[in-house]
């Protein structure tokens, strides 16, 4: 049995794509190594376990991410060290289709995951096979998958976006918005429900743009999803949507995610809090719009958990404009902040701008990271008893990770396997990233 190891970099969309690749390959008779360990992190540090799998594998699929320079660097470092047949997937080959180096490697495009078997077959025969052509629509894609975690369904709802952010390379890979038909997504949800899934993640480059190309919308899709999971104990994570859609849909979103089946959690990447820099980033919203969205959502759902992304050191950002962002973030108290340094990405407008000195970019992201690592917005939960759904094993033996209804991480110890189950947990301590406690019943 030929065995294949899929190494995944980047976002949850890439993890969903790896699950789909695994489905076609195992369905054809290949052995998939270590799928359960697919974790979406940018680490090139290969665990002992991973190194063992790499030794065992007859072929390796690198499902790549191109969002930042380090993601490219880590991938190319691994590629150089790889002495096995390789297939490249994800955003690096898809955004560099015409590049000379790619002629030496087999590659599959983000629209063509269902063609993976013919790419692998050809590669094992020693051929270089490319299936990188973009598709006009995704109507014929069924999204079959093998879940890395049998309790969590990661469901892509679209490919690409409607944005043209000046710093972004992802757009060159994922392209212009193509929404999956609502029926395809609902069919996936029904299948997940039938298979005992407890948590559903909706993923893409911008969930807010859903349906803009097929006469639907994110609220419309979410209403259909809530009908489908009604009376089940499934929890849905709406995921990431851009601020312009949070502003457009704030009233409907507040109404919809109030329902029990939705986590009270939204990830809304503002990137910065200065209108002039937002303009230079070509982000189609203003600071007053997202401030209005956040205060409305907090008013309607007081315990909502809000996550955001911040880019520090965009070329045109002055020290004063960075302070606007820093002061605003301190005021808004986001529970999760993904902090990035600006990186000039190839073939992007921002890469042609006059760059700030690297030390200044580092200083700004350090100032924000230092502040954020010193806060803990979970403290108020100490002493409370919360209802928690457990779907992941912890890093320490006998520990499990669950989510509260507002998507806070909760870590407990348990002698018995509690995956897929919900318990009340008495919280006795917290860190910035999680709550710790005892199961009470
Ligand atoms: S919305 Fe902007 S940052 Fe996001 S994928 Fe599209 S172009 Fe890139």
């Amino acid at each position: 049995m030929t065995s294949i190891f899929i190494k995944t970099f980047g976002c949850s969309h890439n993890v969903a794509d790896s699950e789909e690749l695994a489905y076609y390959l195992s369905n054809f008779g290949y052995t998939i190594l270590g799928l359960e360990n697919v974790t979406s992190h940018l680490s090139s540090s290969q665990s002992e376990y991973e190194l063992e799998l790499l030794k065992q594998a007859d072929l390796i699929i690198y499902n790549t991410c191109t969002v930042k320079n380090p993601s490219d660097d880590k991938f190319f470092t691994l590629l150089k060290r790889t002495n096995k047949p390789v297939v490249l997937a994800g955003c690096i080959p898809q955004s560099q289709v015409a590049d000379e180096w790619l002629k030496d490697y087999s590659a599959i495009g983000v629209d063509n995951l269902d063609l993976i078997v013919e790419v692998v077959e050809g590669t094992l025969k020693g051929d270089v096979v490319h299936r990188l052509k973009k598709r006009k629509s995704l109507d014929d894609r069924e999204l079959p998958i093998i879940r890395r975690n049998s309790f969590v369904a990661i469901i892509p709802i679209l490919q690409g976006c409607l944005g043209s952010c000046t710093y972004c390379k992802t757009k060159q890979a994922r392209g212009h918005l193509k929404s999956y038909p609502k029926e395809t997504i609902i069919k996936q949800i029904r299948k997940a429900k039938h298979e005992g899934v407890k948590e559903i993640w909706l993923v893409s480059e911008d969930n807010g743009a859903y349906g803009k190309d097929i006469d639907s919308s994110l609220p419309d899709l979410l209403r259909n999803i809530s009908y489908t999971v009604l009376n089940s104990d499934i929890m849905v994570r709406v995921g990431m949507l851009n601020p312009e859609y949070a502003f457009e849909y704030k009233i409907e979103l507040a109404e919809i995610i109030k329902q029990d089946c939705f986590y009270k959690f939204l990830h809304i990447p503002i990137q910065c809090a200065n209108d002039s820099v937002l303009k230079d980033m070509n982000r189609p919203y203003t600071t007053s719009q997202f401030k209005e969205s956040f205060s409305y959502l907090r008013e309607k759902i007081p315990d909502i958990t809000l996550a955001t992304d911040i880019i520090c050191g965009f070329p045109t950002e002055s020290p004063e404009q960075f302070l606007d962002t820093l002061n605003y973030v301190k005021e808004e108290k986001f529970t999760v902040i993904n902090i990035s340094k600006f990186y000039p990405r190839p073939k992007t407008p921002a890469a042609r701008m006059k760059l700030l000195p690297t030390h200044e970019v580092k200083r700004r992201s350090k100032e924000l990271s230092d502040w954020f690592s010193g806060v803990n917005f979970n403290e108020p939960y100490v002493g409370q008893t919360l209802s928690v759904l457990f779907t992941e094993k912890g890093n320490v033996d006998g520990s499990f990770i669950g989510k509260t209804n507002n998507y806070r991480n909760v870590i407990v110890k348990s002698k018995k396997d509690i995956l897929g189950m919900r318990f009340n947990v008495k919280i006795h301590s917290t860190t910035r990233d999680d709550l710790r406690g005892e199961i009470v019943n």
Side-chain angles (χ1 to χ4, degrees), residues 84-108:
K84 301 241 168 143
V86 161
V87 171
L88 307 184
C91 294
I92 290 181
Q94 189 69 69
S95 62
Q96 299 176 33
V97 175
D99 286 23
E100 200 50 36
W101 69 271
L102 193 56
K103 291 193 174 56
D104 303 330
Y105 298 95
S106 289
I108 185 151

Side-chain angles (χ1 to χ4, degrees), residues 67 160-172 174-175 205-206 240 242 244-245 269 271 281-284 311:
V67 76
C161 67
L162 290 173
S164 49
C165 308
T166 55
Y167 54 82
C168 179
K169 182 132 184 295
T170 309
K171 178 84 182 190
Q172 295 169 26
R174 297 281 181 178
E205 288 57 59
D206 181 3
M240 196 276 278
N242 273 321
E244 63 268 30
Y245 301 113
Q271 305 300 6
M281 289 177 166
N282 197 25
R283 297 286 281 176
I311 294 175

